Amino acid sequence: MPGEEIEPTETEALLQTRHELGARYDAELVAGFAERIERAVQDRVGDELARRRRAEAAVAAAGPRQLALGILSIIACIPISIVLGVQGELPALVVVLAAIVAINWAHAATGRRLP
């Protein structure tokens, strides 16, 4: 059963069953419990590998998006700079450029982090 968790009470139940049945069933009890532990470990490892693959794919996909955002930022920056520069609005130009830089920086920082 995928996602099967082994509870501490199950260990206690195994020991109680061993006590009741005696040593002649040790091999079967231990083999069954070991199989469940092995399945639980494989499920956890599989889940972790899947999570890492998704994270690596997200980081790899961030590169082209970052390039597109950079190109669009430059394209948007040109007319904004011309309009604000001609009107002599230096403070507004600085604010707009700082916002564009902040957006690009935030996008780049999120793309590098593993989810």
Side-chain angles (χ1 to χ4, degrees):
M1 178 182 307
E4 184 177 2
E5 293 289 325
I6 297 174
E7 302 291 328
T9 54
E10 293 180 77
T11 307
E12 294 169 7
L14 174 72
L15 294 174
Q16 181 64 30
T17 304
R18 181 190 178 274
H19 179 69
E20 291 173 4
L21 295 177
R24 63 178 179 234
Y25 292 104
D26 277 358
E28 292 84 4
L29 290 172
V30 171
F33 196 66
E35 189 176 305
R36 290 192 59 211
I37 291 173
E38 187 176 330
R39 276 196 314 264
V41 168
Q42 287 174 347
D43 289 345
R44 286 184 183 181
V45 168
D47 292 346
E48 179 63 20
L49 288 174
R51 186 194 67 77
R52 287 186 184 191
R53 278 190 218 110
R54 285 191 306 271
E56 289 170 0
V59 169
R65 287 193 318 263
Q66 184 63 38
L67 177 64
L69 180 62
I71 291 170
L72 288 174
S73 296
I74 291 172
I75 292 171
C77 186
I78 292 170
I80 292 171
S81 299
I82 291 171
V83 170
L84 292 177
V86 167
Q87 293 180 355
E89 296 291 331
L90 185 61
L93 180 61
V94 170
V95 168
V96 169
L97 294 177
I100 290 173
V101 168
I103 289 169
N104 278 275
W105 178 83
H107 185 272
T110 354
R112 287 192 196 110
R113 273 189 270 142
L114 288 177

